């Protein structure tokens, strides 16, 4: 999980004149707000132990999001969210104990070799295939982001949407990532506490260009978060996972 030294979550009004557009809306850079119930946020949800599928309130522990795939059944999150856990479900668009788009069983997980062999922080991204419901895939119900590798860090602003453990609604923040190292990127967005690991970093073209995790499991403070720079290893893993029916 994302480790934080403080659990304070600060949500402020949209008053800044400095704005950026990414995902579904505009907002001041580096300000965290409660995410609206809009089309893009429906693609983001929580991971929950299967035993709490009917009662997810207080049980969610990580964030994940739907990405486009041929079988319309794929979500992306951080590798440390899927490693060493029992049966899980994914609840897209989760709010206040409710599952407006259903509860989707995780049936297979794809973790990169770098994570499996040594829990390398540069490999902290993973995919989960979810089982269909009523003959439909999760992407049929909520849509999906495009998973993009090889984009330049900070080329555009991105929007992070995630679920802190302490909240039953998601938070969202838009800012420009910066380079932390050749393999890691960082972003300043307050209030991304434990539970936001796996949050997608979505640019204005609807592409996931980062996943909250990586360095220090995503960060040691709620104000600064990290992601693996998505390159060849992430691309190979996506192709493998996307080919699973």
């Amino acid at each position: 999980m994302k480790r934080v030294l403080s659990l304070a979550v600060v949500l402020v009004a949209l008053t800044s004149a400095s704005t950026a557009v990414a995902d579904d809306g505009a907002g001041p850079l580096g300000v965290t707000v409660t995410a609206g119930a809009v089309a893009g946020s429906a693609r983001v949800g929580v991971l929950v132990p299967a035993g709490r599928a009917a009662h997810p309130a207080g049980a969610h522990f990580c964030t994940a999001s739907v990405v486009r795939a041929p079988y319309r059944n794929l979500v992306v999150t951080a590798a440390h969210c899927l490693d060493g856990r029992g049966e899980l479900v994914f609840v897209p668009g989760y709010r206040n104990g409710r599952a407006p788009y259903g509860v989707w069983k995780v049936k297979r997980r794809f973790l990169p070799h770098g994570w499996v062999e040594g829990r390398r922080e540069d490999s902290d991204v993973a995919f989960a295939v979810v089982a269909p419901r009523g003959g439909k895939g999760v992407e049929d119900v909520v849509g999906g982001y495009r998973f993009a590798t090889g984009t330049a860090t900070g080329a555009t602003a991105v929007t992070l949407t995630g679920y802190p453990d302490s909240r039953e609604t998601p938070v969202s923040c838009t800012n420009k990532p910066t380079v932390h190292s050749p393999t890691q990127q960082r972003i300043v967005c307050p209030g991304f506490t434990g539970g936001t690991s796996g949050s997608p970093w979505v640019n204005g073209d609807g592409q996931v260009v980062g996943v909250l995790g990586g360095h220090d499991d995503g960060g040691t403070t709620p104000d600064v978060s990290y992601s693996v720079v998505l390159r060849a290893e992430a691309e190979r893993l996506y192709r493998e996972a996307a080919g699973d029916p």
Side-chain angles (χ1 to χ4, degrees):
M1 298 310 96
K2 179 172 181 176
R3 299 190 298 271
V4 295
L5 302 180
S6 169
L7 295 180
V9 178
V10 180
L11 303 181
V12 301
L14 300 180
T15 57
S16 171
S18 174
T19 62
V21 177
D23 191 14
D24 282 294
L29 292 173
V31 174
T32 297
V33 299
T34 299
V38 295
S41 64
R43 301 168 186 171
V44 184
V46 291
L47 293 174
V48 181
R52 290 291 300 272
H55 304 284
H60 56 88
F61 63 89
C62 266
T63 302
S65 61
V66 182
V67 290
R68 296 181 188 176
Y71 295 103
R72 309 181 72 80
N73 61 358
L74 199 61
V75 300
V76 65
T77 187
H80 72 261
C81 290
L82 296 181
D83 190 14
R85 294 187 174 272
E87 293 187 358
L88 301 174
V89 296
F90 170 64
V91 186
Y94 171 79
R95 284 178 184 266
N96 296 314
R98 298 177 180 176
Y101 306 101
V103 174
W104 303 77
K105 181 180 179 181
V106 172
K107 69 174 186 177
R108 191 171 177 191
R109 312 171 198 202
F110 290 83
L111 282 75
H113 292 299
W115 184 266
V116 173
E117 295 171 358
R119 293 181 63 88
R120 293 179 59 245
E121 67 177 21
D122 293 337
S123 299
D124 194 8
V125 62
F127 296 91
V129 171
V130 298
R133 287 170 44 92
K136 293 183 177 181
V138 66
E139 187 183 336
D140 295 316
V141 177
V142 300
Y145 297 120
R146 286 174 288 170
F147 185 75
T149 60
T151 60
T153 297
T156 63
V158 300
T159 295
L160 279 63
T161 303
Y163 288 82
D165 288 340
S166 59
R167 292 174 54 90
E168 298 302 314
T169 53
V171 297
S172 181
C173 172
T174 298
N175 210 345
K176 279 194 172 184
T178 58
V179 173
H180 174 70
S181 73
T183 55
Q184 296 281 330
Q185 51 188 324
R186 71 192 292 272
I187 195 166
V188 177
C189 275
F192 276 74
T193 58
T196 59
S197 287
S199 299
W201 299 21
V202 181
N203 67 15
D205 293 324
Q207 298 173 318
V208 173
V209 296
V211 175
L212 201 157
H215 182 60
D216 283 335
D217 284 352
T220 57
T221 76
D223 296 336
V224 179
S225 298
Y226 297 87
S227 167
V228 173
V229 175
L230 302 178
R231 291 182 178 154
E233 184 180 47
E235 174 67 19
R236 288 193 299 270
L237 189 69
Y238 168 76
R239 292 184 179 278
E240 181 184 2
D244 191 292

